[in-house]
Each structure stands twice: as structure tokens, then as C-alpha cells.
Amino acid sequence: MRSKALLLAALLCAGAATAQDKYPNKPVQMLVPLSTGTTVDIIARMYADKLSKRLGQSVIVQNRPGAGGTIAAQATAKSAPDGYTILMVNTQHSVNPALYRNLPYDTLRDFSGIAMVAESPALVYVNPGLGVRTLPEFIALAKQKPGTINYGSAGFGTATHLGGAYFASRAGIELVHVPYKITSDLVADILTGRIQATFSPIAFLLAQVREGKLLALAVTSGERVALLPDVPTVSESGILGYESSTWYGFVAPTNTPRTVLEQLARAMRQITDEKEVQDRYAAQGIVPRSVILEDFDVFIRADVDKLGPLIKAIGAKAD
């Protein structure tokens, strides 16, 4: 009888351990490096909601903005590699190794890719009061009056900064960069004409374009977007080969179990393929893109290698 009791106890313990080890058995934290209302935050919350239903556990969004996304990234890198802390990232994640002299983590070593889910080209927005209606007119004015056109960005080294700097370099013009910490301030200033331009994602100021308060001179993708079919690409407008987009995805601390990464990647790919998600993307000029696991790691490494020389060339440093 005693041996049977011991055997039963062992079986119960094994069953309990199996149940306890099943992922996930508690809420998952999704850290977001930007404030609420940004494109990154909107995408994160959409995936968190749908991921909660697929995993059977709450996925809780925590906004930790600041320092170019490094605050949220550091917190993720230092968290337990168990799949219960994941990080929403965008192009800034690839920029930071060149932008910050002393990152508190290693971008390539301390994270494992889960999935890239989308990318978004930008628009060249201008205030109508600038007096230009096409990108060639914008370039001509900048050449005629060098250093008099201000363009706003979300901060030094951000995609909106680099997109404008890269454009100015390719066009052979001088633009004045004005970095902002609060996006609402950028919106207010371009609407009032305090700054004249910005190179920002399509969804950022699309409503103001439709209301006639701003003009969209060109889109930074390789092809025109269905949302704004009459807006030419930068390349069509004379700056051949120019492309600039922001990508969005999710990573986890390195050494997160492979089975967990695969489960998350599979779920995120399925979410990206949902018609509702693709329709929401299309309405904002965002393109769904699914790149998972090691392929996402390879993409990030290539992006770091590509953006580093550009950041060095424009002399951008955050510290």
C-alpha cells in the first residue's frame, strides 16, 4: 500500500509540474518604448488584445517611453528569459547602437527576435503656407533659401530625423532639424507654420492632409500607396532610389526557450494574417510584413549595419 501511495504521489507531482510548466500560466508583460497614442503603441495594443485571446492569458501593455526606447529595452534585457516579458520595437531599435555611446545592453546579443509584423513608409508633409505644391518645388525653394526650412522629428536619431537627413543629403539641400520630445508639440508647430515640414509615418498627420491643413508632397516607399494613389514617390519626384520606412516588431530576452519563441511567433504571424488587422493597417498606410525568429534577427543585424554609417555621416549622437 505504501508503494502505491508513493507512486500516486509521484504521478500527481509530475502532473502538477507539467501543468505549471505550460506556457503561459500567468499574464505576459508587453513593454512599449513610446507613449500612448503613437503608432507603436496602437500596433502593440492591437497585438496584445489578440494575443491574449490566443494564449488564454492577459497580455498587459506597459508604456515606458524615454531615452529613444532604451529604457524599455534595458528593462526587457534584464528580465527573466521566460517569455513573460516581451518588447515592442521599431526601427529605433536598430538606430540606437550607433546613436548611443554607452547602451546598457547589447542590441544584437541580448534579444531574440519573435516577429516583425509591419512597416510604414513616411510622407513628406509641408505646411501650405510654405508656398510649394510639389517635391521639386520644395527642393528648389530649399536650394534658393538654404537653412531657412525647418523640419520636425520625434528626436535625435529617430526614423523621422534620419529620413529627413537622408533626404536632404540625397537632394543636396540644407534643412534645419528641430527635434521634439512631445509629438503633439510637433503637430501644433507644423500646423501653425513654426516648422515647415516633417518626414513622418503616413498615419501620423493623414487627417490633417485630408482636411487640407497640410500637404503631402511625396511618399517615401518604393511604390505609391493605395491609400494616397495621387501622391508620387520621392523617387518619382526626382530623388532616384530614395526609400525610407519604419518597421515594427517584437523581441524577447535572449535565452528565452525556443518553444516559447515559436509559440509567440506563430500566434503573431496568424494575427498579422487576419483580415481585420490588414484592413486596419491599410487604413493607416501601414504594410503588413511577417518575418519571424532567426530571420528577424538577421534583418535587425542588417539594419544596424545599414543605419550605422548614416548616423555617423550626419553626426547624430544622443549622449
Side-chain angles (χ1 to χ4, degrees):
M1 290 294 293
R2 185 171 182 275
S3 61
K4 288 183 179 180
L6 290 173
L7 177 59
L8 179 59
L11 290 172
L12 288 173
C13 287
T18 301
Q20 186 176 12
D21 291 340
K22 182 181 178 183
Y23 174 85
N25 57 28
K26 62 181 181 179
V28 175
Q29 307 296 317
M30 179 186 289
L31 302 191
V32 178
L34 293 176
S35 57
T36 57
T38 58
T39 302
V40 169
D41 176 71
I42 291 169
I43 293 176
R45 290 180 185 278
M46 178 171 65
Y47 276 78
D49 178 61
K50 292 182 174 294
L51 199 56
S52 296
K53 297 171 184 176
R54 290 182 178 273
L55 297 180
Q57 288 285 347
S58 297
V59 178
I60 302 169
V61 173
Q62 293 188 6
N63 294 86
R64 296 197 185 178
T70 62
I71 293 173
Q74 181 181 12
T76 304
K78 290 186 174 182
S79 67
D82 54 11
Y84 290 99
T85 302
I86 61 177
L87 174 68
M88 175 78 180
V89 290
N90 66 352
T91 304
Q92 190 68 42
H93 190 63
S94 297
V95 169
N96 285 339
L99 185 66
Y100 290 87
R101 292 184 178 88
N102 298 298
L103 274 182
Y105 56 84
D106 187 296
T107 300
L108 301 178
R109 187 188 64 214
D110 293 342
F111 302 95
S112 292
I114 299 172
M116 183 200 300
V117 297
E119 62 181 357
S120 175
L123 288 174
V124 183
Y125 297 95
V126 298
N127 184 292
L130 188 60
V132 301
R133 292 294 181 270
T134 67
L135 195 64
E137 289 179 0
F138 178 78
I139 294 170
L141 180 63
K143 288 182 176 179
Q144 180 184 351
K145 299 179 178 180
T148 63
I149 297 178
N150 301 324
Y151 81 94
S153 82
F156 283 104
T158 60
T160 48
H161 174 200
L162 298 180
Y166 181 40
F167 172 82
S169 173
R170 290 292 306 275
I173 59 177
E174 180 184 346
L175 301 176
V176 179
H177 174 229
V178 181
Y180 286 82
K181 292 183 178 180
I182 302 173
T183 54
S184 59
D185 291 344
L186 188 159
V187 174
D189 282 357
I190 193 171
L191 288 175
T192 58
R194 186 175 180 184
I195 60 172
Q196 291 76 45
T198 186
F199 297 74
S200 297
I202 290 175
F204 184 54
L205 292 166
L206 183 60
Q208 288 82 353
V209 170
R210 287 174 168 165
E211 293 168 3
K213 296 178 180 178
L214 294 176
L215 298 177
L217 300 185
V219 62
T220 63
S221 52
E223 299 178 351
R224 296 191 185 197
V225 295
L227 192 63
L228 296 166
D230 295 330
V231 177
T233 68
V234 171
S235 187
E236 284 179 305
S237 301
I239 310 300
L240 299 179
Y242 176 94
E243 289 188 39
S244 177
S245 295
T246 299
W247 56 261
Y248 307 92
F250 299 89
V251 297
T254 194
N255 295 323
T256 298
R258 173 72 184 191
T259 55
V260 171
L261 293 174
E262 289 176 346
Q263 184 176 347
L264 290 169
R266 182 169 57 251
M268 288 183 178
R269 171 171 276 179
Q270 291 169 348
I271 292 168
T272 301
D273 288 342
E274 289 185 20
K275 184 178 185 304
E276 178 194 349
V277 172
Q278 298 205 1
D279 288 346
R280 288 179 66 177
Y281 278 155
Q284 300 181 69
I286 297 173
V287 180
R289 186 174 179 189
S290 186
V291 181
I292 65 172
L293 302 171
E294 290 87 354
D295 289 340
F296 190 23
D297 291 328
V298 170
F299 174 89
I300 292 174
R301 182 178 295 275
D303 209 38
V304 168
D305 291 341
K306 178 182 73 175
L307 293 172
L310 174 59
I311 295 164
K312 182 177 180 181
I314 66 176
K317 283 293 177 183
D319 61 346

